[in-house]
């Protein structure tokens, strides 16, 4: 009795499995028929012959590589009709012979996606899962991929866009996936991809999915149920292919999949909005909720066989619609309906009512339910004619939705405390592409047409000049021919203070093509149409026509941080010739700059006035920090189309650029070098800092010399621009400058000597010193600079030079050691720095110490009296020089020479000022001595 019951139970199970299997196969067959309806006869042959091409290797069939390519599709036997069509339309001499090997090397072939659904159109891709036997080695898989590539090429010749994905079921269950590409989501999703596969896939040939045969109520125990089923004696495991179950999608996968769909939005935003929102619905229901594929399976098990009701795209849309209606988000719902309408691709306003086209009938029912007016349908159906204004509106709505999706993913990650289940490198690449495509920042060109409309080109573009506001020019671009009555500002497509930025925006967004007529309008417009055309020609030659984020050939650029690759500098655009000629040495009134970086971002900047050149250099150094990147400096292109001074301006800019590159990028100078430029009578010192470019301004030559005396954290040589202080004492000094030691330059005039000291870090100290005898000053200065220095060969080298003018030119000559010590009073100083950072000095003269603690502010007056009293000779008094400075700071740090010289200068000025004010008659007459 028990045996008979067991036999009956097994028979019942077999019957149920057979029934369920047949239901799925019936649905599969009906959807395949629908998929073929959209294709023309040659494309239908591609679909019908696809299993045959991978079942055999025949030299005259498309995709042939060699006889070594794995072949044989499980359980496949071509029908007579397919063979006749292949012989009649493809290869007349083809004779079918089954593969020789016993076991099939290809387990299954699936179509995945919109085929056979309401969303399939004549432009739909064919995403094909090619499932090899798990025991194929790497070389065999490579051969199989080569064949798939050739088959894709054949499909392309028929107007089909076919993509093959090699999907090993064992590897897929283990989560092993290929690297991220434009078509492959890489590691960003697993269960969500499987969810989409199970509800949209069509079995072309081979093993059927084991998932079909696991009842929906057992999905939570999928692995255990699958294992038990495969062990049953009445079940043949070789009939099925197993990709795993989808009962629980990990929270981290929603994040990774969402990021992937944001990335896909760069190419197809309307389609990505639908998938992003579905991800949001799943995540919002986490950890409950049910994937659409499981709902689909429940319906099949319940006996639902109406393929209109089972259409995966209608089912997905209705899930999204319920979600947004429940939340009361009508604006988002309208966008989602529009995205779905575009995805389906039926232009209902242009089609007559019919009952024999199931896609039309279903779509009309939906649109009627949405309450769309006929004129709204006409607007959507004429998307090919949308111009930039309508595209901007749609782009704004899409970017807002995508931005909200990104924020939702961030919030979900915080709430679920989950990280994206995506390879970190792939996550980095996706993030960089998103920033390149959607990040808004000043000056950056915004790509407005990521698949929104086929073309935004205009027949006419007019650039209207409105005059100046707060010293800035005002421009607007209009998509029309200039009108004598003038323009309505509200009709402008875009406004700004940079004509170059408007031109670049028009070019990058496809408004401006080779056939577009360009016009200049507005009273006293400072640019001619001839200049406009020359600028436009440059843009076409230099700028990309598409965002790098959507170009597969630029994919590798996003594996590295972005860096500038090209900079276009336009001088004196719209500035007028008279303004440009004000300064013939620097004939640049403004610069407009376009930067292209390795991520394809195009950024426009405008610099005007006397600081245009300086700000331009600062921006260049900030965009391409010298020494901080292995990338080479960007290529530079200079243009000037103003009628006057064009060559002068470009020559000046090109020479300046060469000098900047030589200074910071050739290795000839340290990265900490200070580059000095003169513009409009002012001097600017440019120097790279850790996170910025410092630009110090000096209103005069003397102020410049003082700024060059600032202490430096490291060796920072001074580099003069070719047009800066050409015949000056500074230029002569820098010609003598070397990288080691200390150099002193002395220039005598009346009772003073101009002292320049280039110290060990290339800081340039300057001071006019009181001097009766050059030898005395020389001797005292040498004593100061050598005090405390080691007496080893490693001691800093110390050289002296006489600085003087000869025939109007500054010259330097090596100065010999002083013949005698000369007459001066030697003073030693001892510095004390208290806890508050205040520095006080004690002074010593003739072996007697005078402390600040004792004398306070009277210290210098008292020391001067002692000096005057000690001088045996009558006035004038010999000057006092500080010959030694000891620093009792407690930290053992030795101050930079220029800092010590600065204190020496202050002390000597204080003492000598008091000394010169002393009346000899007030002295006691007691004698001392002088050096």
């Amino acid at each position: 009795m028990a045996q008979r019951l067991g036999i009956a139970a097994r028979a019942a199970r077999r019957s149920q499995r057979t029934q369920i299997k047949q239901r799925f196969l019936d649905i599969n067959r009906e959807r395949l028929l629908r998929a073929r309806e959209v294709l023309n006869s040659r494309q239908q042959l591609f679909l019908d012959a696809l299993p045959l091409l991978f079942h055999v290797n025949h030299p005259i069939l498309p995709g042939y590589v060699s006889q070594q390519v794995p072949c044989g599709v499980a359980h496949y036997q071509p029908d007579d009709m397919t063979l006749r069509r292949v012989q009649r339309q493809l290869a007349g001499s083809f004779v079918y012979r089954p593969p020789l090997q016993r076991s099939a090397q290809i387990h299954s072939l699936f179509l995945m996606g919109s085929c056979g659904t309401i969303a399939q159109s004549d432009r739909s891709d064919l995403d094909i899962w090619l499932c090899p036997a798990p025991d194929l080695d790497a070389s065999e898989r490579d051969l199989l991929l080569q064949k798939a590539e050739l088959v894709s090429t054949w499909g392309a010749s028929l107007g089909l866009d076919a993509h093959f994905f090699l999907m090993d079921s064992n590897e897929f269950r283990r989560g092993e996936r290929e690297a991220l590409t434009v078509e492959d989501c890489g590691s960003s999703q697993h269960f969500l991809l499987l969810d989409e596969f199970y509800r949209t896939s069509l079995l072309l040939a081979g093993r059927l999915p084991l998932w079909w045969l696991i009842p929906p109520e057992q999905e939570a125990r999928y692995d255990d149920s699958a294992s038990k089923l495969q062990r049953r004696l009445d079940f043949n495991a070789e009939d099925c292919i197993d990709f795993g179950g989808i009962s629980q999608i990990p929270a981290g996968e929603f994040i990774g999949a969402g990021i992937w769909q944001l990335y896909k939005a760069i190419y197809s935003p309307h389609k990505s909005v639908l998938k992003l929102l579905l991800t949001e619905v799943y995540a919002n229901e986490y950890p409950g909720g049910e994937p659409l594929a499981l709902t689909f399976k429940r319906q099949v098990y319940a006996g639902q066989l109406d393929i209109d009701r089972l259409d995966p795209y209608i089912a997905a849309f209705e899930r999204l619609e319920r979600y947004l209606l429940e939340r009361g988000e009508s604006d988002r719902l309208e966008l989602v309906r529009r995205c779905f309408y575009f995805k389906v691709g039926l232009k209902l306003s242009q089609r007559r009512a019919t009952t024999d086209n199931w896609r039309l009938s279903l779509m009309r029912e939906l649109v009627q339910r949405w309450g769309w007016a006929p004129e709204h349908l006409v607007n959507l159906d004429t998307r090919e004619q949308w111009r930039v204004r309508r595209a901007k509106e749609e782009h704004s709505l899409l970017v807002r939705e995508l931005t909200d999706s990104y924020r939702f993913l961030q919030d979900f990650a915080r709430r679920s405390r989950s990280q994206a289940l995506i390879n970190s490198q792939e996550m980095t690449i996706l993030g960089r592409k998103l920033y390149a495509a959607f990040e808004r920042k000043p000056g950056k060109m915004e790509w407005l047409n990521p698949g929104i409309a086929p073309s935004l080109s205009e027949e006419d573009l007019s650039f209207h000049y409105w005059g100046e506001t707060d010293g800035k020019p005002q421009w607007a671009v209009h998509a029309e021919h200039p009108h004598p009555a003038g323009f309505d500002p509200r009709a402008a497509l875009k406004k700004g203070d940079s004509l170059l930025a408007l031109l670049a925006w028009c070019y990058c967004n496809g408004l401006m093509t080779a056939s577009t007529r360009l016009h200049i309008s507005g009273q006293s417009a400072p640019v001619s149409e001839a200049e406009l055309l020359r600028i436009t020609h440059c843009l076409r030659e230099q700028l990309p026509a598409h965002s790098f984020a959507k170009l597969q050939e630029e994919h590798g650029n996003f594996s590295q941080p972005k860096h500038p690759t090209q900079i276009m500098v336009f001088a004196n655009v719209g500035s007028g010739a008279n303004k440009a000629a004000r300064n013939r040495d620097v004939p640049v009134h403004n610069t407009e700059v376009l930067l292209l970086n390795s991520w394809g971002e195009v950024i426009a900047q405008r610099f005007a006035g006397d600081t245009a050149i300086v700000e331009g250099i600062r921006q260049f150094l900030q965009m391409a920090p010298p020494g901080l990147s292995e990338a080479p400096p960007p290529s530079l292109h200079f243009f000037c189309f103003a009628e006057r001074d064009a060559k002068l301006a470009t020559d000046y800019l090109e020479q300046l650029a060469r000098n900047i590159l030589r200074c910071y990028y050739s290795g000839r100078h340290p990265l900490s070098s200070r580059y000095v430029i003169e513009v409009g009578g002012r001097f600017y010192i440019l120097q790279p800092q850790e996170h910025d470019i410092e630009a110090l301004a000096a209103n005069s030559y003397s102020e410049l010399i003082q700024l060059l005396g600032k202490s430096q954290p490291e060796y920072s040589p001074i580099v003069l621009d070719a047009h800066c202080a050409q015949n000056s004492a500074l230029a002569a000094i820098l010609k003598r400058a070397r990288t080691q030691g200390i150099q002193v330059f002395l220039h005598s005039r009346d009772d003073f000597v101009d002292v320049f000291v280039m110290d060990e870090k290339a800081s340039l100290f300057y001071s006019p010193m009181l001097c009766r005898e050059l030898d005395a000053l020389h001797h005292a200065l040498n004593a100061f600079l050598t005090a405390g220095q080691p007496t080893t060969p490693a001691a800093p080298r110390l050289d002296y030079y006489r600085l003087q003018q000869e025939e109007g030119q500054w010259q330097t000559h090596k100065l010999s050691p002083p013949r005698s010590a000369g007459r001066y009073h030697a003073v030693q100083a001892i510095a004390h720095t208290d806890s508050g950072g205040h520095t006080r000095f004690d002074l010593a003269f003739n072996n007697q110490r005078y402390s600040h603690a004792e004398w306070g502010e009277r210290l210098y007056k008292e020391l001067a009296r002692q000096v005057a009293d000690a001088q045996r000779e009558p006035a004038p008094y010999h000057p006092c020089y500080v010959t030694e400075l000891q620093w009792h700071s407690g930290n053992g740090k030795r101050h930079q020479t220029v800092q010590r010289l600065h204190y020496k200068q202050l002390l000597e000025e204080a003492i000598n000022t008091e000394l010169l004010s002393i009346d000899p008659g007030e002295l006691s007459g007691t004698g001392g001595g002088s050096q």
Side-chain angles (χ1 to χ4, degrees):
M1 181 67 178
Q3 184 177 9
R4 287 199 304 271
L5 289 175
I7 293 173
R10 286 194 295 272
R13 285 196 299 267
R14 280 197 304 270
S15 176
Q16 184 187 32
R17 285 201 302 271
T18 300
Q19 184 184 39
I20 294 297
K21 173 183 173 181
Q22 193 58 49
R23 288 178 187 175
F24 278 106
L25 288 174
D26 289 344
I27 295 167
N28 193 82
R29 183 184 65 255
E30 291 298 316
R31 282 189 55 203
L32 272 174
L33 290 174
R34 285 187 165 184
R36 293 181 82 259
E37 289 176 6
V38 181
L39 308 177
N40 61 41
S41 61
R42 296 179 67 213
Q43 293 171 337
Q44 288 174 356
L45 177 61
F46 177 89
L47 199 61
D48 296 340
L50 205 54
L52 178 64
L53 297 183
F54 288 94
H55 192 58
V56 297
N57 286 318
H58 199 291
I60 64 174
L61 292 180
Y64 180 78
V65 176
S66 71
Q67 290 297 321
Q68 284 69 48
V69 178
C71 62
V73 179
H75 312 308
Y76 175 71
Q77 175 64 39
D79 57 64
D80 292 340
M81 182 178 292
T82 299
L83 291 175
R84 284 196 300 270
R85 289 195 65 197
V86 167
Q87 290 168 346
R88 185 172 65 250
Q89 296 179 245
L90 201 57
S93 60
F94 170 71
V95 177
Y96 171 69
R97 293 185 178 85
L100 296 177
Q101 72 269 16
R102 293 181 179 178
S103 60
Q105 294 178 293
I106 298 168
H107 283 182
S108 298
L109 273 169
F110 293 97
L111 267 180
M112 176 190 170
S114 61
C115 287
T117 74
I118 192 173
Q120 183 184 4
S121 70
D122 55 2
R123 297 185 303 274
S124 294
D125 295 351
L126 299 182
D127 290 341
I128 303 159
W129 280 26
L130 179 59
C131 307
D135 58 357
L136 294 188
D137 61 30
S139 62
E140 290 174 315
R141 295 187 182 205
D142 186 59
L143 287 171
L144 200 54
L145 283 173
Q146 290 180 43
K147 181 168 186 173
E149 185 65 30
L150 292 176
V151 174
S152 292
T153 303
W154 174 52
S157 71
L158 306 175
L160 293 172
D161 193 7
H163 305 278
F164 284 88
F165 301 90
L166 210 61
M167 305 296 287
D168 182 314
S169 58
N170 289 352
E171 291 178 354
F172 188 92
R173 288 200 309 276
R174 294 195 297 266
E176 299 172 12
R177 293 293 310 283
E178 295 295 322
L180 173 74
T181 67
V182 170
E183 298 298 336
D184 195 331
C185 59
S187 64
S188 66
Q189 52 188 297
H190 175 89
F191 292 99
L192 285 170
L193 179 65
L194 199 55
D195 170 50
E196 184 180 2
F197 171 77
Y198 283 145
R199 59 190 165 87
T200 69
S201 63
L202 295 175
L203 176 64
L204 294 176
R207 301 182 177 189
L208 55 84
L210 180 67
W211 180 82
W212 287 359
L213 305 180
I214 304 298
E217 61 272 13
Q218 296 180 19
E219 192 76 24
R221 306 181 302 280
Y222 179 89
D223 290 340
D224 183 55
S225 298
S227 178
K228 289 179 179 178
L229 177 61
Q230 289 169 324
R231 290 197 303 268
R232 285 175 181 160
L233 296 177
D234 59 350
F235 180 79
N236 184 2
E238 292 187 356
D239 288 342
C240 296
I241 186 169
D242 185 14
F243 291 102
I246 54 166
S247 62
Q248 182 66 61
I249 301 174
E253 191 166 308
F254 299 132
I255 304 164
I259 296 293
W260 163 253
Q261 286 304 327
L262 283 170
Y263 161 59
K264 291 289 284 185
I266 299 169
Y267 310 85
S268 182
H270 291 104
K271 179 180 176 181
S272 292
V273 163
L274 295 173
K275 291 196 173 185
L276 270 167
L277 185 55
L278 183 59
T279 303
E280 178 181 327
V281 171
Y282 281 4
N284 202 58
E285 295 173 348
Y286 178 84
E290 181 175 275
L292 282 168
L294 192 51
T295 303
F296 163 67
K297 185 159 68 168
R298 287 190 192 281
Q299 290 175 302
V300 175
Y301 269 72
Q304 176 61 266
L305 297 179
D306 184 345
I307 57 173
D308 287 348
R309 298 286 302 275
L310 295 174
D311 187 286
Y313 280 81
I314 291 180
F317 170 76
E318 290 178 342
R319 183 81 163 264
L320 304 182
E321 189 177 46
R322 287 196 301 272
Y323 174 75
L324 294 175
L325 286 172
E326 289 170 0
R327 296 167 64 91
E329 296 179 323
S330 56
D331 290 343
R332 293 183 76 192
L333 178 57
E334 190 62 24
L335 175 62
V336 165
R337 287 171 174 169
R338 197 157 62 248
C339 289
F340 185 76
Y341 186 78
F342 288 147
K343 173 62 180 172
V344 172
L346 293 172
K347 297 181 178 180
L348 298 187
S349 67
Q350 301 173 12
R351 294 176 181 266
R352 286 178 294 182
T354 178
T355 57
D356 60 354
N357 188 313
W358 67 273
R359 295 176 67 234
L360 275 172
S361 298
L362 284 176
M363 200 65 232
R364 287 189 190 282
E365 289 179 16
L366 286 172
V367 166
Q368 187 175 11
R369 195 175 76 200
W370 301 342
W372 279 2
E375 56 270 22
H376 184 55
L377 281 175
V378 171
N379 178 41
L380 298 183
D381 291 345
T382 55
R383 186 160 57 129
E384 293 82 359
Q385 302 170 29
W386 282 6
R387 299 275 67 86
V388 68
R389 196 181 307 280
R390 180 65 182 88
K392 282 177 67 176
E393 293 173 0
E394 190 74 2
H395 180 266
S396 178
L397 293 170
L398 288 167
V399 169
R400 184 174 66 184
E401 177 65 22
L402 296 173
T403 302
D404 289 345
S405 293
Y406 185 70
R407 289 172 181 159
F408 172 83
L409 293 171
Q410 289 181 311
D411 182 62
F412 177 76
R414 285 191 294 268
R415 284 189 287 110
S416 63
R417 298 180 181 179
S418 299
Q419 293 183 340
L421 297 183
I422 179 174
N423 177 283
S424 60
Q425 182 180 7
E426 293 175 359
M427 186 73 167
T428 298
I429 290 174
L430 293 183
R432 288 169 174 171
K433 286 199 169 190
L434 289 174
Y435 275 109
F438 297 122
E439 183 191 27
R440 293 176 176 175
K441 57 185 177 182
K444 179 181 173 181
M445 297 300 110
E446 191 173 18
W447 303 90
L448 296 176
N449 191 22
I452 293 175
S455 172
L456 299 180
S457 63
E458 297 287 351
E459 293 183 359
D460 290 276
L461 286 174
S462 296
F463 296 86
H464 188 74
Y465 179 68
W466 297 96
E468 291 191 357
T469 302
D470 296 330
K472 294 182 179 181
Q474 301 299 311
W475 290 92
V477 59
H478 303 257
E480 55 190 25
H481 194 280
H483 193 277
F487 286 112
D488 181 355
R490 293 170 297 181
L493 300 177
K494 191 173 179 64
K495 302 175 184 178
D497 64 356
S498 168
L499 174 62
L500 185 68
L502 291 182
L503 285 165
W505 180 80
C506 290
Y507 173 76
C508 290
N509 284 294
L511 281 72
M512 182 197 307
T513 66
S515 61
T516 303
R517 294 182 293 269
L518 304 180
H519 313 279
I520 287 287
S521 66
Q523 292 185 347
S524 304
V527 175
S528 66
E529 288 190 5
E531 185 176 350
L532 189 72
L533 291 173
R534 293 191 189 104
I535 295 173
T536 303
H537 177 73
C538 294
L539 299 184
R540 289 199 186 101
E541 287 190 333
Q542 304 291 339
L543 293 183
H546 302 283
S547 168
F548 282 9
K550 64 187 298 186
L551 299 178
Q552 176 60 26
E553 59 268 27
E554 304 293 347
H555 186 75
N557 292 348
F558 294 90
S559 62
Q560 301 294 329
K562 65 183 174 184
H563 62 271
T565 57
Q566 183 171 276
I567 293 178
M568 303 170 66
V569 181
F570 292 80
N572 301 331
V573 176
S575 64
N578 293 331
K579 291 181 179 178
R582 289 186 308 175
N583 185 343
R584 297 289 298 184
D585 290 333
V586 185
V588 178
H589 176 69
N590 70 51
T591 57
E592 300 207 24
V593 179
L594 284 179
L595 174 140
L596 174 66
N597 64 31
S598 57
W599 294 358
E601 294 176 306
V602 178
I603 299 168
Q605 294 177 313
R606 184 178 185 274
F607 307 103
D610 291 338
T611 62
I613 296 295
V614 177
E615 287 303 312
I617 297 173
R618 285 188 70 236
Q619 289 297 314
F620 174 83
L621 294 174
Q622 285 177 332
M623 291 182 293
L628 297 183
S629 172
E630 296 180 359
S635 60
L636 288 163
H637 306 275
F638 298 93
F639 308 96
C640 182
F641 301 117
E643 294 180 2
R644 292 182 57 185
D645 295 326
K647 187 176 188 308
L648 198 61
T650 52
D651 287 349
Y652 171 80
L653 289 172
E654 287 174 356
Q655 183 183 27
L656 178 61
R658 285 195 299 270
N659 292 340
I660 291 289
L661 292 173
R662 188 181 302 117
C663 176
Y664 290 113
Y665 300 92
S666 67
R668 297 178 59 177
H669 299 283
L671 300 180
S672 57
S673 297
R674 289 165 289 167
Y675 193 87
V676 184
I677 184 174
E678 182 180 2
V679 180
R682 302 185 79 198
F683 299 90
Y684 299 88
I685 305 171
L686 295 160
Q687 185 179 23
Q689 302 291 340
E690 186 176 359
H691 300 294
D692 195 12
I693 305 297
E694 185 179 57
L696 298 177
N699 292 315
S700 64
Y701 176 79
S702 59
E703 190 175 339
L704 168 68
I705 297 299
Q706 293 298 322
L707 288 176
L708 293 176
K710 288 181 62 178
S711 60
Q712 300 295 318
E714 57 184 313
Y715 178 66
S716 306
I718 302 164
V719 180
L720 279 185
D721 180 65
H723 293 271
C724 178
Q726 293 170 312
N727 181 29
S728 63
L730 175 62
I733 289 170
L734 294 179
K735 284 181 182 178
R736 281 279 189 179
R738 50 180 169 74
T739 58
Q740 294 179 342
I742 298 173
Q743 294 166 285
V744 182
F745 300 85
L746 305 175
H747 172 240
S748 300
R749 55 181 177 89
D750 300 328
D751 289 340
F752 288 88
V753 169
D754 291 318
V755 177
F756 297 86
V757 180
M758 182 76 73
D759 77 359
E760 67 279 1
K761 293 184 180 178
S763 292
L764 182 64
F765 170 80
Y766 165 74
S767 174
M769 291 188 177
L770 182 66
C771 178
R772 303 279 189 259
E773 302 174 12
L774 183 61
D775 280 356
L777 184 145
H778 189 169
H779 184 275
L781 188 57
N782 190 69
F784 180 85
L785 292 174
T786 57
Q789 294 284 5
T791 57
T792 64
R797 180 176 162 185
L798 182 59
D799 292 315
Y800 291 85
Y801 299 90
R802 180 184 293 275
L803 180 66
Q804 60 190 44
Q805 280 188 308
E806 299 175 4
E807 298 180 356
Q809 299 292 319
W810 284 96
Q811 304 288 342
T812 59
H813 301 283
K814 193 73 181 287
L815 195 61
S816 301
R819 293 184 298 273
S820 65
R823 292 174 295 177
Y824 68 93
H825 299 287
V827 176
Q828 294 79 44
I830 303 94
H832 302 271
T833 301
D834 60 24
S835 58
H838 301 101
T839 301
R840 301 287 185 263
F841 292 94
D842 294 345
L843 302 177
F845 171 70
N846 271 357
N847 296 319
Q848 184 172 350
R849 183 163 176 168
Y850 301 86
S851 71
H852 186 276
E854 179 182 356
W855 292 97
E857 295 304 318
R858 295 183 294 115
L859 173 66
Y860 304 108
K861 187 176 187 68
E862 177 60 25
L863 183 71
R865 291 182 60 83
Q866 295 300 323
V867 169
D869 194 46
Q871 182 170 316
R872 295 193 179 102
E873 303 172 21
Y877 304 112
H878 305 316
C880 289
Y881 296 129
V882 175
T883 57
E884 185 177 353
L885 175 58
Q886 299 177 19
W887 207 281
H888 291 171
S889 61
N891 58 14
K893 175 184 175 183
R894 181 174 178 82
H895 287 71
Q896 187 180 338
T897 296
V898 72
Q899 296 172 304
R900 298 171 60 243
L901 285 167
H902 173 71
Y903 286 113
K904 168 183 165 69
Q905 176 189 14
L906 294 176
L907 293 171
E908 289 176 353
E909 287 178 352
I911 297 169
N912 287 320
T913 297
E914 294 291 346
L915 184 63
L916 292 174
S917 67
I918 293 176
D919 183 350
E922 299 176 4
L923 302 177
S924 62
T926 57
S930 67
Q931 178 80 25

